[in-house]
Amino acid sequence: MATLKQFEEALRAQGMNMALAILEKMRKEEKKTRSVAPARRVSGRKMTPELARKILELHSTTDMTQQEIAFQLGINQGRVNEVIKRGKWLTEDPQSEEAQARDKAKARMKRMQSEDTPIPRKQPIATGVEEGPKKPKAKPANSAQLSIDDFLKASSD
């Protein structure tokens, strides 16, 4: 079975410009009437144990992919993967790893907003000494291996 792109190339090769124009018009109409809007991230959706259970239910009872589940529930596909593969967010435990990480992030955001300072980015760890441009290291002379310099020296002698 040929793909739509192969079909379009065949039309072009045959010089069927009218058919190509009709095909382009059909594509534009399809974009206008598409029932499923392109995926977009829904921000602010908090992961809860109920949402995690819904993810597991959809995963086990349907043939939906992780991306499809994420789109339907308005969450990130990575979150769906974490729930399915590692069982994250299935409990309300405030001592769980994800709950602690969430609380730390919220506290950091609150502190930064109250100080009215920009959030600092992590800087690479400095070695303590300012380094200038790096010079190539001289290779130790190995008498068992010849270099181009050896030939140049021999030819100039």
Side-chain angles (χ1 to χ4, degrees):
M1 178 179 272
T3 64
L4 189 58
K5 186 171 185 163
Q6 291 171 330
F7 178 65
E8 186 177 1
E9 289 170 359
L11 289 175
R12 228 178 236 111
Q14 295 294 321
M16 299 183 168
N17 294 332
M18 194 62 152
L20 287 167
I22 293 170
L23 187 62
E24 185 61 33
K25 186 175 182 181
M26 289 172 65
R27 281 188 180 139
K28 287 180 182 176
E29 287 297 317
E30 181 194 7
K31 285 182 182 177
K32 289 179 186 175
T33 60
R34 184 176 289 156
S35 61
V36 177
R40 66 179 184 86
R41 185 176 179 143
V42 178
S43 61
R45 183 88 188 252
K46 181 180 175 184
M47 276 301 297
T48 62
E50 293 78 29
L51 188 56
R53 283 190 280 280
K54 181 72 174 168
I55 290 169
L56 289 177
E57 177 187 333
L58 287 172
H59 179 69
S60 63
T61 60
T62 66
D63 289 332
M64 293 172 73
T65 64
Q66 290 182 6
Q67 187 65 45
E68 291 168 335
I69 293 170
F71 180 73
Q72 181 172 347
L73 298 177
I75 57 174
N76 185 305
Q77 181 268 327
R79 294 285 178 252
V80 173
N81 185 50
E82 287 177 336
V83 169
I84 293 170
K85 301 288 185 200
R86 292 189 265 154
K88 282 189 156 194
W89 289 285
L90 290 174
T91 63
E92 293 271 0
D93 181 16
Q95 299 304 316
S96 68
E97 181 184 333
E98 55 271 5
Q100 289 179 353
R102 181 192 63 230
D103 294 342
K104 282 181 185 177
K106 283 182 176 179
R108 190 171 49 249
M109 298 265 307
K110 209 178 260 188
R111 187 179 68 243
M112 288 301 179
Q113 287 174 347
S114 67
E115 294 173 4
D116 199 29
T117 57
I119 298 173
R121 294 188 171 250
K122 290 184 179 178
Q123 299 296 324
I125 298 173
T127 57
V129 178
E130 289 269 336
E131 292 183 25
K134 291 188 177 184
K135 296 178 184 175
K137 293 180 181 178
K139 294 182 181 176
N142 186 349
S143 60
Q145 195 156 4
L146 295 174
S147 70
I148 191 71
D149 291 333
D150 295 330
F151 289 109
L152 294 173
K153 287 177 188 174
S155 64
S156 65
D157 289 338

